[in-house]
Amino acid sequence: MNENKKSETLAQRDKARKDFLELKAMQAKAKEEGASEHKPYENEIKPKTLGEKISHFFYYHWRAVIIVALCLIIVAFATVSCINKKKTDLKIVIYDNRILADMYVPEIQDYFAQFCKDYNGDGEVNVQVINCTYQTGGSTAQYQNTIMQRLQSVIVTDSECMLIITGDLGKKYFDNHLSGVIEDEGTPLKEGYYECAFDKDIKIPDNVKIYLRNIKGTLLEDNEKSQNAIVRSREFIENMSK
């Protein structure tokens, strides 16, 4: 009885060992066949024609292509904008506590252009008017502060804006807060200026004068652009006063 049980145990052990060896052999064979049959890119169809190569490249790199294309479009747009940007012959800032609608600015620029020359030689006379106006009692405090910051920015950073149009209250502001920025005597504007409004029922703020900036003793005194702008501005006022 014991001998039969012992023989049965040995048979089971031999069978288990045989099964284990067969399994290892199968795994080794499968690994060997897999390495030979599934080599990377062995069966890849390589593009031959130019069209296939372009299609193949775009398939794998379409994101990069789109990003590069967008960057090129932005650069091209910025370049064209700079090339087509009009060069300014003269700059004038309007500061007043009576608001001037922006829609009147182009016609005002055209009106002033008749008294200006083509200083930069581009074949056109371009006068730029910078609108710094607000309505006392009608504009919010935030909007008024924005206008004041714009005016001060022009005075501090713009080396070519040498003409300022303002009324009595504006002149008082300069005298009290920006003393010495403009000359004491201004030149009254003619009737043609006040006729620039598209809506004849709404008048452009009247009783204003055009003042020449005073840059003596400032950093702009030795600036070549500022000196040229002063000469142009004086000539402009003379032509307008005739």
Side-chain angles (χ1 to χ4, degrees):
M1 183 76 174
N2 291 333
E3 290 181 1
N4 292 336
K5 188 174 182 180
K6 185 177 180 180
S7 298
E8 185 178 348
T9 302
L10 291 172
Q12 290 177 350
R13 187 182 64 180
D14 292 341
K15 186 176 183 304
R17 182 176 178 179
K18 183 179 179 182
D19 292 342
F20 174 77
L21 292 174
E22 289 180 355
L23 179 63
K24 293 292 288 182
M26 291 174 62
Q27 290 177 343
K29 184 178 180 181
K31 185 176 180 181
E32 216 175 280
E33 291 177 351
S36 61
E37 292 179 4
H38 300 285
K39 293 181 180 180
Y41 305 107
E42 183 178 333
N43 299 323
E44 180 183 8
I45 300 176
K46 296 183 179 181
K48 297 180 180 180
T49 66
L50 178 61
E52 290 177 346
K53 291 180 180 179
I54 294 174
S55 178
H56 182 268
F57 177 83
F58 187 79
Y59 179 81
Y60 288 102
H61 305 285
W62 64 271
R63 290 185 180 87
V65 171
I66 292 176
I67 292 173
V68 171
L70 288 175
C71 291
L72 291 175
I73 291 173
I74 293 173
V75 171
F77 181 78
T79 303
V80 171
S81 298
C82 291
I83 293 174
N84 295 333
K85 185 178 180 181
K86 290 184 178 181
K87 296 180 180 179
T88 302
D89 294 295
L90 198 69
K91 291 183 179 180
I92 305 171
V93 60
I94 301 179
Y95 170 69
D96 201 88
N97 65 316
R98 297 161 295 177
I99 197 164
L100 173 69
D102 287 333
M103 65 179 181
Y104 298 148
V105 170
E107 192 169 345
I108 292 174
Q109 292 177 156
D110 292 340
Y111 169 76
F112 284 141
Q114 63 183 310
F115 308 113
C116 184
K117 294 181 180 179
D118 178 19
Y119 291 108
N120 54 41
D122 63 352
E124 296 182 5
V125 176
N126 182 24
V127 177
Q128 180 183 356
V129 171
I130 304 170
N131 188 7
C132 294
T133 63
Y134 64 95
Q135 185 64 48
T136 301
S139 300
T140 63
Q142 182 178 2
Y143 182 77
Q144 293 183 36
N145 289 334
T146 300
I147 292 298
M148 297 306 302
Q149 291 174 5
R150 184 188 303 173
L151 174 67
Q152 293 171 4
S153 176
V154 171
I155 293 173
V156 173
T157 64
D158 198 325
S159 60
E160 295 182 283
C161 186
M162 295 294 138
L163 291 170
I164 298 175
I165 295 176
T166 190
D168 293 337
L169 288 179
K171 180 63 166 60
K172 289 182 181 179
Y173 173 81
F174 278 98
D175 292 340
N176 295 332
H177 302 281
L178 299 171
S179 179
V181 170
I182 59 177
E183 294 183 349
D184 291 335
E185 296 297 328
T187 302
L189 295 177
K190 294 184 178 182
E191 190 63 28
Y193 168 76
Y194 304 107
E195 294 175 352
C196 290
F198 292 114
D199 188 346
K200 302 308 177 183
D201 295 331
I202 302 177
K203 294 183 178 180
I204 288 180
D206 56 2
N207 297 325
V208 297
K209 293 182 179 179
I210 186 166
Y211 295 85
L212 187 68
R213 282 188 59 182
N214 177 23
I215 61 173
K216 293 181 179 179
T218 69
L219 296 175
L220 299 179
E221 186 174 8
D222 297 326
N223 187 299
E224 184 178 354
K225 289 184 178 181
S226 299
Q227 290 293 343
N228 291 335
I230 284 287
V231 173
R232 297 174 184 181
S233 299
R234 289 188 187 280
E235 185 176 10
F236 171 81
I237 291 178
E238 290 177 3
N239 293 336
M240 193 179 60
S241 302
K242 293 178 181 178

